[in-house]
Amino acid sequence: MAAGRTRRRRASPERTRPSIFWPLAGIVVPIIGVIAKIEIEGEENLPETGPYVLAPNHYSEIDPVLVAAAVWRLGRAPRFMAKESLFRIPVLGAALRATGMVPVARSASATGARQTLETAEKLVEKQAGVIVYPEGTLTRDPDLWPMRGKTGASRLALAGGIPLIPMAHWGAQRILPRYGKLSLWPLRKRVRVVIGKPLDLAGFTDRSLHPAAQQEATTMLMDEIAHLLEGLRGEKAPPTRWNPGDHGQAETGRLEREGEA
């Protein structure tokens, strides 16, 4: 291969095989192409085949669509974690299952741990990836830096020996500010995406089921996401992750008052 040339990625079977993703992509991708110009760095860090857990930052209601478009462009089917309760809603639940979305285990209880293990085994069996927002909701940080993470992404990766891949993106707030109004003009606003190298989780192998190890892995993950975001923003992240509990904020759901602290 000539110096300076980048090898073209192969689309995985989960994208090339006919599925519900084809008509969805046919509708969504052209629309996203009009409102956003997505630039991707580190694409080699997302495996072309096999399971993975991709963990992005979350600061805009529209960023899941942008993340999905980026993952689809890289040849993988964008499956997300979704609240288990949503799968029990008749029509919505059927749609979630049809697109291969993954029910999230909300707790580290015995039931939650069993569900996490079963989910990890299915990802390995199907050689599929999943996108998990480790913050669990839109960041509460006033400056949109990643806040304290939850252990769902690390639990899933550790349970299945699956690559845990940090991801950061910036620019979605110019299209849809957090809890704000959609801004379409000018068209094709720049959105930068960077995919980091899979985290080295070898030190957690012997204690992957321990909550302390899962929290350590989560802290490592959030630090790396913040580091990637620093490169995109050209700024330093706060030395301490924002903790909603320290500011009287709910851990999940809509943050009603932007100035709440």
Side-chain angles (χ1 to χ4, degrees):
M1 182 180 296
R5 292 186 61 186
T6 302
R7 182 180 65 84
R8 185 173 182 177
R9 288 177 60 92
R10 293 183 295 113
S12 70
E14 63 183 4
R15 174 172 168 175
T16 57
R17 187 181 302 120
S19 72
I20 188 65
F21 284 104
W22 280 18
L24 289 175
I27 297 170
V28 174
V29 171
I31 294 174
I32 292 300
V34 171
I35 66 175
K37 180 183 179 184
I38 301 176
E39 301 175 358
I40 305 173
E41 303 172 42
E43 61 182 51
E44 69 279 1
N45 294 320
L46 185 70
E48 293 179 348
T49 58
Y52 64 84
V53 177
L54 183 65
N57 58 318
H58 192 20
Y59 58 89
S60 168
E61 290 92 336
I62 202 172
D63 66 50
V65 183
L66 300 174
V67 168
V71 170
W72 182 257
R73 183 193 295 180
L74 296 180
R76 301 302 305 260
R79 297 180 177 88
F80 287 85
M81 278 275 197
K83 290 189 297 184
E84 186 180 24
S85 60
L86 297 178
F87 286 77
R88 294 194 289 271
I89 301 174
V91 176
L92 178 59
L96 291 172
R97 284 187 287 272
T99 53
M101 300 303 167
V102 179
V104 62
R106 283 289 188 180
S107 71
S109 64
T111 300
R114 184 170 61 254
Q115 184 187 17
T116 298
L117 182 58
E118 290 172 353
T119 299
E121 290 173 346
K122 289 179 181 177
L123 290 175
V124 173
E125 177 186 354
K126 296 181 178 179
Q127 295 292 283
V130 67
I131 302 164
V132 183
Y133 281 107
E135 296 165 274
T137 190
L138 293 175
T139 181
R140 275 41 173 145
D141 186 283
D143 296 319
L144 304 183
W145 290 101
M147 65 177 181
R148 187 186 66 170
K150 300 181 182 300
T151 60
S154 61
R155 290 205 323 262
L156 184 57
L158 289 169
I162 300 171
L164 179 57
I165 305 172
M167 173 181 181
H169 56 89
W170 191 242
Q173 77 285 357
R174 291 191 287 271
I175 300 170
L176 182 60
R178 182 181 57 179
Y179 308 130
K181 296 181 179 180
L182 187 66
S183 173
L184 297 179
W185 191 262
L187 298 176
R188 289 183 56 77
K189 292 185 176 72
R190 187 187 191 199
V191 176
R192 297 178 64 197
V193 173
V194 58
I195 301 172
K197 295 182 182 298
L199 298 185
D200 182 1
L201 300 179
F204 302 103
T205 302
D206 295 336
R207 49 195 183 102
S208 61
L209 299 179
H210 294 188
Q214 295 165 357
Q215 187 57 62
E216 287 178 41
T218 300
T219 298
M220 182 191 305
L221 172 64
M222 298 312 299
D223 287 347
E224 185 57 26
I225 293 172
H227 175 68
L228 295 173
L229 188 56
E230 287 177 336
L232 295 179
R233 294 178 57 165
E235 306 172 70
K236 290 294 293 181
T240 304
R241 302 275 86 77
W242 184 272
N243 183 350
D246 292 343
H247 300 272
Q249 298 170 332
E251 291 279 346
T252 59
R254 184 180 176 88
L255 181 60
E256 294 296 339
R257 292 182 295 160
E258 195 66 40
E260 182 177 292

